[in-house]
C-alpha cells in the first residue's frame, strides 16, 4: 500500500519516541529533577506519540514489516514472562510501554518507503539532545564532568550517562557522514553536526560507541565502494589518517582508551564480566529459562547487566533471545540482498552499530534508542511505495465526442 507524502506530524511523532527512550536515570543535573517528573515526561511523550500517530493514520493503514512483526512477538513473550509478577507490577507497566512503542511504529510504517525522511528526523532530534548536553557543559563544567563518572561527560540539564551521550553522538556522526558521501547534504551543514558531536563523543570516553562508529562506518562505506567514487576517496583518506594517528599518537590513544583503568579492570570489562558470570550461574526453573522473569530494570543483584543478550535472557528467556537474534539476522539479511545504495549503507551502519553495542549495553529487549535505530534501518530497507494510479473521473457517455466514443467502446 502506498504511503504517499510523509506528513510533518510524523517527524513530531518520531521526536516524541526519541524523548521517551532517553530514560530517567543518570547523572545529577544542575537543577535537581525528580525522577517521577522525568518519568511522567517520557511516558507522556510516548502516549502523545501514539495519539498523534493514530490521529494522522486514523484508518490504521500499515505496511508489512518483518521488523515490527518480530517486535510484536517479543511483546507477546514479554507479557507471558511478566504475567507471573516475579519482577513486580513494574513489569506490566513496562509491557504497556513496549506495547505503545510497537503500536506507534506500526502506525508509522505506512510511510516507510525506503526514503531518508526519518533518517533526517533521527539526526535532528538526537542533535537537539546533544545540544542540551553541550549547553550543560558550558553552563556548569563541573556538573557536566563530575568526579563520580571519572571526569566523563554527562548530561547536566537532563540526566544522561556517558554511554548514552556517546551512543547518540556516534549514530548521528555516522549517518551524517553517509549523507555527505551520498551528496544528500552540504559539507558545511554536515560539519556543524559532525565536529561538535565528535568533541562530545571524545569527552564521554565511551569505547563501545567509538568502536561501533568506526566499524559501522567501515562496513557501510565498504558497501558503497563499487558504486561511489566519493566513498572510495573517503575510505582511502580515512585509512591513511587512521594509520598516521595510530603511529603518531599511540600513547595518547591508549591512555584515552584505558581511561586510567588497570589491566585487570579492563579485562573484566569494568566489572561487567562478574555480573554476567553470576547471572548465568543463578538457578532457574524451566519456565524462567524459556520466558525469563519479566521486564525489569536490566539489572541483576542490584548491578547493571550491560549486555543486551544476557538482559533479554534474564527478562524474556531463550524465547526473547531467539526473537532478538531473528531481528538482527533478518535486517542484516535484507540489507545484504538490497542493491548498493545510500539507504542500504545507512541501514548497514545502524544494524552493525547496534550489534556491536549489544555486547556492553542493554536495550534490545525493551523500548530503547537501539530499537529506534533498528526501526530506522527497517524504514530505510523498505521497498519504495508504489505510486497510486491517477483517478479517472466518471464522464457520462453522452458527453464523450462520437469520434472518441468509438475508440473506447469494447467490441
Amino acid at each position: 500500500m502506498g504511503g504517499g507524502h510523509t506528513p510533518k506530524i510524523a517527524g513530531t511523532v518520531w521526536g516524541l519516541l526519541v524523548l521517551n527512550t532517553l530514560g530517567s536515570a543518570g547523572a545529577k543535573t544542575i537543577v535537581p529533577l525528580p525522577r517521577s517528573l522525568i518519568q511522567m515526561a517520557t511516558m507522556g511523550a510516548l502516549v502523545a506519540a501514539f495519539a498523534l500517530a493514530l490521529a494522522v493514520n486514523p484508518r490504521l493503514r500499515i505496511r508489512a514489516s518483518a521488523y515490527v512483526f518480530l517486535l510484536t512477538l517479543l511483546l507477546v513473550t514479554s507479557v507471558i514472562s511478566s504475567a507471573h509478577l516475579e519482577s513486580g507490577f513494574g513489569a506490566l507497566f513496562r509491557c504497556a510501554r513496549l506495547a505503545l512503542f510497537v503500536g506507534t511504529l506500526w502506525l508509522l510504517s505506512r510511510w516507510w518507503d525506503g526514503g531518508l525522511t526519518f533518517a533526517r528526523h533521527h539526526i535532528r532530534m538526537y542533535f537537539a539532545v546533544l545540544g542540551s548536553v553541550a549547553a550543560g557543559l558550558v553552563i556548569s563544567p563541573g556538573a557536566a564532568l563530575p568526579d563520580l563518572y571519572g571526569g566523563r561527560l554527562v548530561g547536566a540539564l537532563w540526566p544522561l550517562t556517558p554511554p548514552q551521550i556517546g551512543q547518540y553522538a556516534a549514530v548521528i556522526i555516522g549517518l551524517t557522514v553517509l549523507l555527505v558521501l551520498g551528496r544528500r547534504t552540504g559539507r558545511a551543514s554536515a560539519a556543524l553536526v559532525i565536529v561538535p558531536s565528535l568533541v562530545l563523543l571524545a569527552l564521554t570516553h565511551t569505547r563501545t560507541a567509538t568502536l561501533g562508529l568506526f566499524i559501522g562506518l567501515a562496513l557501510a562505506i565498504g558497501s558503497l565502494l563499487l558504486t561511489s567514487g566519493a566513498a572510495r576517496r573517503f575510505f582511502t583518506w580515512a585509512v591513511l589518517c587512521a594509520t598516521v594517528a595510530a603511529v603518531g599518537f599511540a600513547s595518547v590513544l591508549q591512555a584515552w582508551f584505558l581511561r586510567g583503568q588497570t589491566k585487570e579492570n579492563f579485562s573484566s570489562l569494568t566489572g561487567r564480566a562478574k555480573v554476567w558470570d553470576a547471572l548465568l550461574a543463578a538457578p532457574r526453573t524451566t519456565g524462567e529459562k524459556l520466558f525469563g522473569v519479566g521486564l525489569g530494570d536490566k539489572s541483576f543483584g542490584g548491578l547493571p547487566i550491560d549486555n543486551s543478550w544476557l538482559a533479554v535472557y534474564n527478562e524474556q528467556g531463550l524465547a526473547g533471545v531467539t526473537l532478538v537474534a531473528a531481528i538482527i539476522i533478518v535486517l542484516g539479511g535484507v540489507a545484504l540482498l538490497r542493491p548498493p545504495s545510500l539507504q542500504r549503507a545507512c541501514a548497514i551502519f545502524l544494524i552493525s552499530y547496534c550489534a556491536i553495542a549489544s555486547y556492553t549495553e542493554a536495550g534490545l529487549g525493551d523500548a530503547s534508542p537501539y530499537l529506534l535505530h533498528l526501526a530506522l534501518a527497517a524504514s530505510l530497507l523498505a521497498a519504495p511505495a508504489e505510486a497510486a494510479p491517477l483517478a479517472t473521473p466518471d464522464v457520462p457517455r453522452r458527453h464523450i465526442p462520437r469520434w472518441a466514443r468509438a475508440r473506447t467502446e469494447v467490441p
Side-chain angles (χ1 to χ4, degrees):
M1 179 186 300
H5 177 70
T6 305
K8 292 184 178 179
I9 198 170
T12 303
V13 173
W14 198 264
L16 290 171
L17 290 178
V18 170
L19 176 59
N20 172 255
T21 56
L22 291 182
S24 58
K28 294 182 179 179
T29 54
I30 299 173
V31 178
L33 299 173
R35 187 174 181 182
S36 58
L37 177 63
I38 298 174
Q39 289 176 331
M40 287 178 59
T42 55
M43 193 60 195
L46 180 57
V47 173
F50 181 78
L52 287 176
L54 191 59
V56 78
N57 189 5
R59 296 185 180 180
L60 304 181
R61 295 178 177 175
I62 61 176
R63 293 196 67 186
S65 171
Y67 171 71
V68 189
F69 175 72
L70 289 171
L71 275 189
T72 305
L73 294 181
L74 185 63
L75 170 62
V76 174
T77 302
S78 302
V79 173
I80 293 174
S81 65
S82 301
H84 299 291
L85 299 179
E86 290 187 39
S87 299
F89 286 98
L92 296 180
F93 176 81
R94 292 183 180 92
C95 286
R97 175 173 176 251
L98 181 58
L100 285 175
F101 182 85
V102 174
T104 305
L105 292 181
W106 270 123
L107 293 171
L108 288 179
S109 67
R110 176 185 178 184
W111 296 284
W112 290 2
D113 57 1
L116 294 168
T117 301
F118 287 100
R120 297 185 188 278
H121 292 320
H122 210 66
I123 294 172
R124 292 190 191 106
M125 292 310 304
Y126 280 116
F127 186 68
V129 174
L130 293 181
S132 71
V133 175
L137 178 61
V138 173
I139 295 172
S140 178
L145 300 168
D147 294 334
L148 180 63
Y149 283 87
R152 300 170 65 191
L153 180 65
V154 301
L157 298 181
W158 185 279
L160 297 173
T161 61
Q164 284 180 283
I165 299 171
Q167 175 198 161
Y168 306 153
V171 166
I172 67 171
I173 289 170
L175 290 175
T176 305
V177 167
L178 292 173
L179 288 181
V180 172
L181 294 180
R183 299 180 180 178
R184 299 299 181 90
T185 189
R187 294 183 179 181
S189 58
L192 291 176
V193 174
I194 294 173
V195 174
S197 300
L198 275 173
V199 173
L200 296 181
L201 175 59
L203 291 176
T204 64
H205 287 260
T206 306
R207 296 177 291 231
T208 300
T210 305
L211 289 175
L213 170 62
F214 289 135
I215 296 175
L217 267 183
L219 294 174
I221 295 174
S223 71
L224 294 172
L225 290 180
L226 296 178
T227 58
S228 172
R232 289 191 291 271
R233 290 190 294 271
F234 181 87
F235 190 80
T236 302
W237 279 105
V239 171
L240 180 61
C241 292
T243 303
V244 173
V247 174
F249 303 95
S251 59
V252 176
L253 292 175
Q254 183 180 10
W256 182 90
F257 200 77
L258 289 176
R259 296 196 313 234
Q261 296 175 338
T262 62
K263 291 184 178 180
E264 180 182 357
N265 198 18
F266 177 74
S267 62
S268 66
L269 295 172
T270 322
R272 290 184 176 96
K274 298 178 180 178
V275 180
W276 299 348
D277 293 340
L279 187 151
L280 291 173
R284 294 177 184 273
T285 64
T286 302
E288 289 173 344
K289 289 180 180 179
L290 291 177
F291 295 104
V293 298
L295 292 185
D297 58 359
K298 314 298 175 286
S299 67
F300 182 80
L303 297 174
I305 297 175
D306 286 339
N307 180 289
S308 283
W309 304 99
L310 292 179
V312 171
Y313 172 68
N314 183 56
E315 297 183 355
Q316 291 133 308
L318 293 174
V321 171
T322 301
L323 288 172
V324 171
I327 287 173
I328 299 295
I329 293 172
V330 168
L331 286 176
V334 172
L336 292 176
L337 293 175
R338 288 283 187 270
S341 67
L342 175 60
Q343 289 86 341
R344 175 186 184 236
C346 290
I348 289 175
F349 167 74
L350 292 167
I351 297 166
S352 57
Y353 180 88
C354 291
I356 293 168
S358 68
Y359 185 64
T360 57
E361 296 290 336
L364 287 182
D366 204 349
S368 69
Y370 292 107
L371 291 189
L372 205 55
H373 300 332
L374 293 178
L376 175 57
S379 75
L380 291 166
L381 294 173
E386 296 180 1
L390 295 176
T392 303
D394 294 330
V395 180
R397 189 173 184 275
R398 65 179 179 273
H399 293 163
I400 302 176
R402 182 173 298 177
W403 62 269
R405 192 185 311 165
R407 294 184 179 182
T408 56
E409 289 178 346
V410 178

